[in-house]
Amino acid sequence: MRHILIAEDDPHITSFVSRGLRAAGYDTTEAPDGETALILARSGSFDLVLLDIGLPGIDGFTVLSHLRGEGVTVPVIVLTARDSVIDTVRGLEGGANDYVTKPFQFAELLARVRLRIGDGEQRPVGPVLSHGDVTLDVRARRVTVGDLAADLTAREFDLLEVLLQHPGQVLTRDQLIGQVWGFDFDPASNVVDVYVRALRGKIGAERIETVRGAGYRLR
């Protein structure tokens, strides 16, 4: 199993990223500050590092500088709220392999992780996803149930896409919020339940199962 280091001091972000990555089949370890991140990243135990720039102790730029200066070649994706061109260039020229600005949707982050970790072919997300008689054409943004087209809103489409990427797997409300709405969305909101109810009305209630106390899964 691929092992990813999450170097991030915000426990909310760390929690939702870790849960999402574990649901996608990765193992994760968390580092809440720069010193811990540097020690762990040097160990050679990780396939990729998600590195926040604003870490306490020593910041992400310094961690990255030490790693590259010592010849550590582990792929690094920088996570930061800083979106200026200067910071972007500094991160990339300092040896980062990619740069993701907060807030972000988990689906985007996962796609970048798969690309940088070199296993995109192992977990492909193709242009067409299907399960049973439900088919979703990602490129054309078209959904069919049997021989009938389903008219979905953009959010309903995104929600169904995530469920189709994990057929039979229970996805928690937090995981669905992170992948469809973004990590900064209010986790106390009932938006997932509202959209699941709407989606059931369009593709059939029996196709999305409620797992009490856990979340939802596509049957």
Side-chain angles (χ1 to χ4, degrees):
M1 180 182 292
R2 302 285 190 150
H3 198 175
I4 297 175
L5 174 62
I6 304 172
E8 167 65 58
D9 67 322
D10 186 323
H12 175 58
I13 298 175
T14 299
S15 177
F16 114 85
V17 170
S18 181
R19 288 197 302 270
L21 289 174
R22 287 178 180 273
Y26 297 100
D27 193 12
T28 63
T29 295
E30 302 165 6
D33 56 70
E35 288 87 350
T36 304
L38 184 56
I39 291 170
L40 291 173
R42 283 169 169 162
S43 69
S45 302
F46 299 93
D47 298 286
L48 183 137
V49 177
L50 297 177
L51 181 63
D52 178 39
I53 290 301
L55 290 172
I58 57 176
D59 66 18
F61 285 135
T62 304
V63 171
L64 183 60
S65 176
H66 280 300
L67 292 176
R68 296 308 187 228
E70 296 167 12
V72 178
T73 59
V74 61
V76 174
I77 298 178
V78 167
L79 304 178
T80 181
R82 308 178 187 182
D83 59 356
S84 74
V85 173
I86 293 176
D87 284 330
T88 302
V89 171
R90 182 180 175 189
L92 295 175
E93 289 188 345
N97 300 87
D98 209 341
Y99 200 101
V100 178
T101 302
K102 304 171 187 176
F104 54 84
Q105 289 195 2
F106 182 79
E108 176 190 357
L109 177 63
L110 181 59
R112 292 175 183 268
V113 166
R114 286 172 170 162
L115 175 65
R116 297 302 171 183
I117 214 168
D119 64 349
E121 293 183 0
Q122 297 179 27
R123 298 181 180 87
V125 179
V128 177
L129 300 172
S130 63
H131 184 65
D133 61 349
V134 178
T135 301
L136 181 148
D137 187 325
V138 176
R139 191 168 299 161
R141 303 285 293 184
R142 182 171 57 245
V143 175
T144 56
V145 181
D147 296 326
L148 301 177
D151 185 17
L152 304 186
T153 67
R155 289 293 193 194
E156 291 166 355
F157 185 95
D158 292 343
L159 177 59
L160 180 59
E161 182 179 0
V162 172
L163 291 169
L164 282 168
Q165 289 171 359
H166 307 278
Q169 178 179 328
V170 178
L171 296 176
T172 67
R173 288 170 176 79
D174 284 351
Q175 287 173 326
L176 291 170
I177 284 177
Q179 296 195 44
V180 178
W181 285 269
F183 76 86
D184 59 336
F185 201 88
D186 182 5
S189 169
N190 69 339
V191 66
V192 173
D193 307 287
V194 171
Y195 273 86
V196 165
R197 185 162 54 249
L199 188 56
R200 280 171 168 161
K202 295 182 178 181
I203 70 169
E206 73 282 359
R207 292 182 172 86
I208 303 176
E209 179 183 2
T210 299
V211 180
R212 190 171 299 278
Y216 297 100
R217 68 179 166 202
L218 195 66
R219 291 186 176 181

